[in-house]
Amino acid sequence: MDYDDINPLPRLLMGPGPINADPRVLRAMSAQLLGQFDPQFTGYMNETMALYRGVFQTANRWTFVVDGTARSAIETVLVSVLEPGDRILVPVFGRFGHLKVEIAERVGADIRMIETEWGTVFAPEQIEAAVREHRPKLVALCHGDTSTTMAQPLADIGAICRRYDALLYVDSTATLGGMDLPVDAWQIDACSAGLQKCLGGPSGSAPITVNERVERVVAFRRHTERGIRSETDRPGEGAIIRSNYFDLAMLMDYWSERRLNHHTEATTMLYGARECARILLKEGLPNAFARHALASRAMVAGLTAMGLRLFGDLAHKMDNVTGVYIPAGVDGERVRGAMLNDFGIEIGTSFGPLVGKIWRIGAMGYNCRKDAVLITLAALETVLAAEAFRLPRGAGVDAARAVYLGKA
Ligand SMILES: Cc1ncc(COP(=O)(O)O)c(C=O)c1O
């Protein structure tokens, strides 16, 4: 078969992620492969662990990457912590809450779920009441749920979970690197992410951190693979973890000084993950958070000035993605098509109850830049005007630019 080489048209990815990878990440990923036990490579593994401690703002020893997209780390936590019959509480405020329920079902957990309307988040008191009532072993929450563009306030949830002796797991796929998430200060026991959003990399590597509380649960379930086990590897008393690939105990052994072999670490993805964290920490977390917050204000100002209505509880909007109602009479998919075909810009559609109702426009990671925000607004204005949507021409870009110039 005579296929052409891979040579995609340039795109500016301004949806809810994935976004364009930072060129430095792509460069790092083109470096030559190494053997997984080469001291150079294990050195890079250790550096990656140290870098992600900085990104997660944690001192957790067990901070590394799972090979797979973001959900691989979600599954790692749930399958490794929950034995069949163990109780989990999932506060659901969008599609990715349902994902945790779905994974927990496959694990055979006893699932308790509370829901709030898409576009809203939970008050800490609501979560506390549910934890008090259900007494779960694990509470699993999204930080930002990209399906609704909402960010759940988390500062109080860790303390609530400790009061009732529950573990707290946070899925920060959509926010890590873009919004503040001090894992230790907020008493989060396990946290994971993906590279393809605020971290400015491709999907395929999932940073994860867990503390000693999780380590204890997992150690109780440790069953080292027969072919690599030694005399000293006594099986734990707990039930075996029902996944080999996502077995947190074996992953820890692989990432420990012992380097007890599990999978073959995905060399190229590790280079990418390391570079994402290195770039972010070099910028400085507070600067990166401020850059995302500024882009969010500019996007909100621009879309509003164009006469568009924003989705959801804006007090809890994620800083890196904005939901906007598709105006009546406008064909949402035709707009997305024109944005892509005429301007090379991708914006997002939505899921579930929001399909056909909102677009999701992101500005995150490498694409969280003034030029990307302004170009996206300018293109959207032109496309909407062609849809016969009456809007004040130029107002969106002017309003967003005013935010960047500090005049709004
Ligand atoms: C909050 C959240 N969790 C999980 C996922 C799933 O990530 P992945 O597609 O990388 O497995 C996403 C993807 O958008 C997400 O936004």
Side-chain angles (χ1 to χ4, degrees), residues 69-71 74 96 144 146 171 173-174 196-197:
T69 67
R71 74 178 58 203
I74 301 174
F96 292 105
T146 37
D171 168 10
T173 303
Q196 73 268 27
K197 306 207 191 246

Side-chain angles (χ1 to χ4, degrees), residues 14-16 93-95 118-120 145-150 303 308-314 317-318 321-328 330-336 347-362 380 384:
M14 298 297 280
F93 60 101
R95 180 207 162 171
W118 288 30
T120 66
D145 193 315
T146 37
S147 67
T148 70
T149 72
M150 295 296 112
L303 294 169
L308 295 169
R309 199 157 63 87
L310 301 184
F311 172 74
D313 169 7
L314 292 187
K317 191 183 88 58
M318 291 162 65
V321 52
T322 304
V324 54
Y325 282 102
I326 301 168
V330 169
D331 182 331
E333 283 309 288
R334 194 163 56 211
V335 166
R336 290 199 330 116
I347 61 168
T349 176
S350 197
F351 300 117
L354 299 177
V355 168
K357 296 206 174 106
I358 68 165
W359 295 301
R360 293 173 301 150
I361 307 182
L380 185 60
L384 279 175

Side-chain angles (χ1 to χ4, degrees), residues 204-223:
S205 176
I208 187 171
T209 186
V210 303
N211 65 14
E212 313 80 49
R213 280 159 49 94
V214 173
E215 183 183 0
R216 275 197 293 279
V217 170
V218 168
F220 188 63
R221 302 185 67 190
R222 173 176 275 113
H223 290 79

